[in-house]
PDB file of all heavy atoms in Angstrom:
ATOM      1  N   ASP W 333     119.126  58.768  91.260  1.00 95.00           N
ATOM      2  CA  ASP W 333     118.471  59.678  90.334  1.00 95.00           C
ATOM      3  C   ASP W 333     118.489  61.139  90.814  1.00 95.00           C
ATOM      4  O   ASP W 333     118.464  62.009  89.932  1.00 95.00           O
ATOM      5  CB  ASP W 333     116.953  59.223  90.113  1.00 95.00           C
ATOM      6  CG  ASP W 333     116.900  57.971  89.266  1.00 95.00           C
ATOM      7  OD1 ASP W 333     117.934  57.497  88.734  1.00 95.00           O
ATOM      8  OD2 ASP W 333     115.795  57.443  89.074  1.00 95.00           O
ATOM      9  N   ILE W 391     120.438  62.670  82.247  1.00 94.00           N
ATOM     10  CA  ILE W 391     119.188  62.232  82.936  1.00 94.00           C
ATOM     11  C   ILE W 391     118.576  61.154  82.145  1.00 94.00           C
ATOM     12  O   ILE W 391     117.438  60.582  82.492  1.00 94.00           O
ATOM     13  CB  ILE W 391     118.171  63.344  83.129  1.00 94.00           C
ATOM     14  CG1 ILE W 391     118.035  64.243  81.949  1.00 94.00           C
ATOM     15  CG2 ILE W 391     118.603  64.167  84.390  1.00 94.00           C
ATOM     16  CD1 ILE W 391     116.744  65.028  82.008  1.00 94.00           C
ATOM     17  N   SER W 392     119.085  60.724  80.970  1.00 94.00           N
ATOM     18  CA  SER W 392     118.366  59.773  80.044  1.00 94.00           C
ATOM     19  C   SER W 392     118.355  58.483  80.793  1.00 94.00           C
ATOM     20  O   SER W 392     117.521  57.518  80.340  1.00 94.00           O
ATOM     21  CB  SER W 392     119.204  59.599  78.778  1.00 94.00           C
ATOM     22  OG  SER W 392     120.432  59.103  78.890  1.00 94.00           O
ATOM     23  N   TYR W 393     119.124  58.102  81.869  1.00 91.00           N
ATOM     24  CA  TYR W 393     119.033  56.840  82.510  1.00 91.00           C
ATOM     25  C   TYR W 393     117.998  56.812  83.521  1.00 91.00           C
ATOM     26  O   TYR W 393     117.678  55.642  84.075  1.00 91.00           O
ATOM     27  CB  TYR W 393     120.412  56.583  83.221  1.00 91.00           C
ATOM     28  CG  TYR W 393     121.580  56.586  82.228  1.00 91.00           C
ATOM     29  CD1 TYR W 393     122.283  57.581  81.921  1.00 91.00           C
ATOM     30  CD2 TYR W 393     121.926  55.377  81.601  1.00 91.00           C
ATOM     31  CE1 TYR W 393     123.351  57.610  81.052  1.00 91.00           C
ATOM     32  CE2 TYR W 393     122.899  55.233  80.684  1.00 91.00           C
ATOM     33  CZ  TYR W 393     123.710  56.472  80.431  1.00 91.00           C
ATOM     34  OH  TYR W 393     124.730  56.304  79.441  1.00 91.00           O
ATOM     35  N   ILE W 394     117.236  57.977  83.761  1.00 94.00           N
ATOM     36  CA  ILE W 394     116.083  57.891  84.725  1.00 94.00           C
ATOM     37  C   ILE W 394     114.959  57.332  84.104  1.00 94.00           C
ATOM     38  O   ILE W 394     114.569  57.706  83.033  1.00 94.00           O
ATOM     39  CB  ILE W 394     115.827  59.299  85.251  1.00 94.00           C
ATOM     40  CG1 ILE W 394     117.167  59.881  85.999  1.00 94.00           C
ATOM     41  CG2 ILE W 394     114.685  59.357  86.215  1.00 94.00           C
ATOM     42  CD1 ILE W 394     117.010  61.302  86.520  1.00 94.00           C
ATOM     43  N   GLU W 395     114.266  56.353  84.716  1.00 93.00           N
ATOM     44  CA  GLU W 395     113.187  55.738  84.116  1.00 93.00           C
ATOM     45  C   GLU W 395     111.821  56.430  84.171  1.00 93.00           C
ATOM     46  O   GLU W 395     111.030  56.180  83.416  1.00 93.00           O
ATOM     47  CB  GLU W 395     112.977  54.288  84.643  1.00 93.00           C
ATOM     48  CG  GLU W 395     114.157  53.277  84.189  1.00 93.00           C
ATOM     49  CD  GLU W 395     114.072  51.901  84.781  1.00 93.00           C
ATOM     50  OE1 GLU W 395     112.956  51.637  85.342  1.00 93.00           O
ATOM     51  OE2 GLU W 395     115.021  51.134  84.678  1.00 93.00           O
ATOM     52  N   ASP W 396     111.635  57.192  85.263  1.00 93.00           N
ATOM     53  CA  ASP W 396     110.445  57.904  85.387  1.00 93.00           C
ATOM     54  C   ASP W 396     110.290  58.899  84.424  1.00 93.00           C
ATOM     55  O   ASP W 396     110.849  59.866  84.321  1.00 93.00           O
ATOM     56  CB  ASP W 396     110.429  58.558  86.848  1.00 93.00           C
ATOM     57  CG  ASP W 396     109.056  59.104  87.327  1.00 93.00           C
ATOM     58  OD1 ASP W 396     108.299  59.439  86.406  1.00 93.00           O
ATOM     59  OD2 ASP W 396     108.724  59.067  88.461  1.00 93.00           O
ATOM     60  N   ASN W 397     109.170  58.729  83.576  1.00 94.00           N
ATOM     61  CA  ASN W 397     108.875  59.573  82.392  1.00 94.00           C
ATOM     62  C   ASN W 397     108.569  61.085  82.819  1.00 94.00           C
ATOM     63  O   ASN W 397     108.717  61.960  82.017  1.00 94.00           O
ATOM     64  CB  ASN W 397     107.726  58.994  81.556  1.00 94.00           C
ATOM     65  CG  ASN W 397     108.236  58.165  80.403  1.00 94.00           C
ATOM     66  OD1 ASN W 397     109.360  58.383  80.014  1.00 94.00           O
ATOM     67  ND2 ASN W 397     107.416  57.360  79.848  1.00 94.00           N
ATOM     68  N   ARG W 398     108.055  61.110  84.076  1.00 96.00           N
ATOM     69  CA  ARG W 398     107.640  62.511  84.502  1.00 96.00           C
ATOM     70  C   ARG W 398     108.846  63.456  84.426  1.00 96.00           C
ATOM     71  O   ARG W 398     108.810  64.617  84.119  1.00 96.00           O
ATOM     72  CB  ARG W 398     107.048  62.528  85.864  1.00 96.00           C
ATOM     73  CG  ARG W 398     105.693  61.868  85.853  1.00 96.00           C
ATOM     74  CD  ARG W 398     105.227  61.805  87.326  1.00 96.00           C
ATOM     75  NE  ARG W 398     106.102  60.898  88.273  1.00 96.00           N
ATOM     76  CZ  ARG W 398     105.973  60.885  89.551  1.00 96.00           C
ATOM     77  NH1 ARG W 398     105.112  61.557  90.147  1.00 96.00           N
ATOM     78  NH2 ARG W 398     106.759  60.043  90.137  1.00 96.00           N
ATOM     79  N   VAL W 399     110.094  62.883  84.814  1.00 95.00           N
ATOM     80  CA  VAL W 399     111.269  63.729  84.905  1.00 95.00           C
ATOM     81  C   VAL W 399     111.589  64.318  83.449  1.00 95.00           C
ATOM     82  O   VAL W 399     111.809  65.542  83.319  1.00 95.00           O
ATOM     83  CB  VAL W 399     112.447  62.755  85.345  1.00 95.00           C
ATOM     84  CG1 VAL W 399     113.829  63.519  85.124  1.00 95.00           C
ATOM     85  CG2 VAL W 399     112.305  62.442  86.727  1.00 95.00           C
ATOM     86  N   HIS W 400     111.445  63.453  82.501  1.00 95.00           N
ATOM     87  CA  HIS W 400     111.792  63.927  81.028  1.00 95.00           C
ATOM     88  C   HIS W 400     110.782  64.918  80.536  1.00 95.00           C
ATOM     89  O   HIS W 400     111.098  65.887  79.984  1.00 95.00           O
ATOM     90  CB  HIS W 400     111.939  62.677  80.193  1.00 95.00           C
ATOM     91  CG  HIS W 400     112.883  61.752  80.729  1.00 95.00           C
ATOM     92  ND1 HIS W 400     114.262  61.877  80.653  1.00 95.00           N
ATOM     93  CD2 HIS W 400     112.672  60.463  81.259  1.00 95.00           C
ATOM     94  CE1 HIS W 400     114.906  60.879  81.309  1.00 95.00           C
ATOM     95  NE2 HIS W 400     113.997  60.042  81.652  1.00 95.00           N
ATOM     96  N   LYS W 401     109.480  64.648  80.865  1.00 95.00           N
ATOM     97  CA  LYS W 401     108.452  65.489  80.425  1.00 95.00           C
ATOM     98  C   LYS W 401     108.572  66.924  81.009  1.00 95.00           C
ATOM     99  O   LYS W 401     108.494  67.826  80.268  1.00 95.00           O
ATOM    100  CB  LYS W 401     107.047  64.889  80.907  1.00 95.00           C
ATOM    101  CG  LYS W 401     105.897  65.454  80.110  1.00 95.00           C
ATOM    102  CD  LYS W 401     104.638  64.745  80.489  1.00 95.00           C
ATOM    103  CE  LYS W 401     103.409  65.319  79.876  1.00 95.00           C
ATOM    104  NZ  LYS W 401     102.073  64.692  80.240  1.00 95.00           N
ATOM    105  N   VAL W 402     108.672  66.952  82.436  1.00 95.00           N
ATOM    106  CA  VAL W 402     108.775  68.235  83.128  1.00 95.00           C
ATOM    107  C   VAL W 402     110.006  69.081  82.566  1.00 95.00           C
ATOM    108  O   VAL W 402     109.934  70.194  82.297  1.00 95.00           O
ATOM    109  CB  VAL W 402     108.820  67.966  84.588  1.00 95.00           C
ATOM    110  CG1 VAL W 402     109.130  69.296  85.334  1.00 95.00           C
ATOM    111  CG2 VAL W 402     107.465  67.440  85.044  1.00 95.00           C
ATOM    112  N   ILE W 403     111.182  68.351  82.450  1.00 94.00           N
ATOM    113  CA  ILE W 403     112.384  69.013  82.060  1.00 94.00           C
ATOM    114  C   ILE W 403     112.230  69.586  80.608  1.00 94.00           C
ATOM    115  O   ILE W 403     112.599  70.698  80.301  1.00 94.00           O
ATOM    116  CB  ILE W 403     113.679  68.241  82.271  1.00 94.00           C
ATOM    117  CG1 ILE W 403     113.919  68.105  83.827  1.00 94.00           C
ATOM    118  CG2 ILE W 403     114.876  68.764  81.637  1.00 94.00           C
ATOM    119  CD1 ILE W 403     115.022  67.197  84.216  1.00 94.00           C
ATOM    120  N   SER W 404     111.780  68.668  79.760  1.00 93.00           N
ATOM    121  CA  SER W 404     111.724  69.131  78.260  1.00 93.00           C
ATOM    122  C   SER W 404     110.792  70.332  78.135  1.00 93.00           C
ATOM    123  O   SER W 404     111.098  71.238  77.352  1.00 93.00           O
ATOM    124  CB  SER W 404     111.439  68.019  77.402  1.00 93.00           C
ATOM    125  OG  SER W 404     110.246  67.413  77.768  1.00 93.00           O
ATOM    126  N   HIS W 405     109.568  70.316  78.774  1.00 93.00           N
ATOM    127  CA  HIS W 405     108.719  71.392  78.678  1.00 93.00           C
ATOM    128  C   HIS W 405     109.299  72.712  79.157  1.00 93.00           C
ATOM    129  O   HIS W 405     109.072  73.717  78.612  1.00 93.00           O
ATOM    130  CB  HIS W 405     107.475  71.013  79.458  1.00 93.00           C
ATOM    131  CG  HIS W 405     106.437  70.168  78.755  1.00 93.00           C
ATOM    132  ND1 HIS W 405     105.250  69.813  79.204  1.00 93.00           N
ATOM    133  CD2 HIS W 405     106.716  69.426  77.659  1.00 93.00           C
ATOM    134  CE1 HIS W 405     104.666  69.022  78.331  1.00 93.00           C
ATOM    135  NE2 HIS W 405     105.536  68.688  77.406  1.00 93.00           N
ATOM    136  N   VAL W 449     111.612  68.261  90.293  1.00 97.00           N
ATOM    137  CA  VAL W 449     112.213  67.016  89.800  1.00 97.00           C
ATOM    138  C   VAL W 449     113.146  66.259  90.809  1.00 97.00           C
ATOM    139  O   VAL W 449     113.110  64.993  90.834  1.00 97.00           O
ATOM    140  CB  VAL W 449     113.024  67.245  88.470  1.00 97.00           C
ATOM    141  CG1 VAL W 449     113.516  65.991  87.897  1.00 97.00           C
ATOM    142  CG2 VAL W 449     112.127  67.878  87.414  1.00 97.00           C
ATOM    143  N   ILE W 452     110.383  64.287  92.606  1.00 96.00           N
ATOM    144  CA  ILE W 452     109.968  63.248  91.738  1.00 96.00           C
ATOM    145  C   ILE W 452     110.974  62.143  91.756  1.00 96.00           C
ATOM    146  O   ILE W 452     110.636  60.902  91.978  1.00 96.00           O
ATOM    147  CB  ILE W 452     109.751  63.661  90.297  1.00 96.00           C
ATOM    148  CG1 ILE W 452     108.580  64.674  90.103  1.00 96.00           C
ATOM    149  CG2 ILE W 452     109.428  62.461  89.367  1.00 96.00           C
ATOM    150  CD1 ILE W 452     108.431  65.304  88.885  1.00 96.00           C
TER     151      ILE W 452
END
Side-chain angles (χ1 to χ4, degrees):
D333 286 353
I391 50 163
S392 64
Y393 299 93
I394 296 177
E395 287 179 13
D396 192 327
N397 264 342
R398 289 176 300 170
V399 169
H400 306 289
K401 193 174 176 182
V402 171
I403 288 178
S404 56
H405 282 189
V449 181
I452 293 170

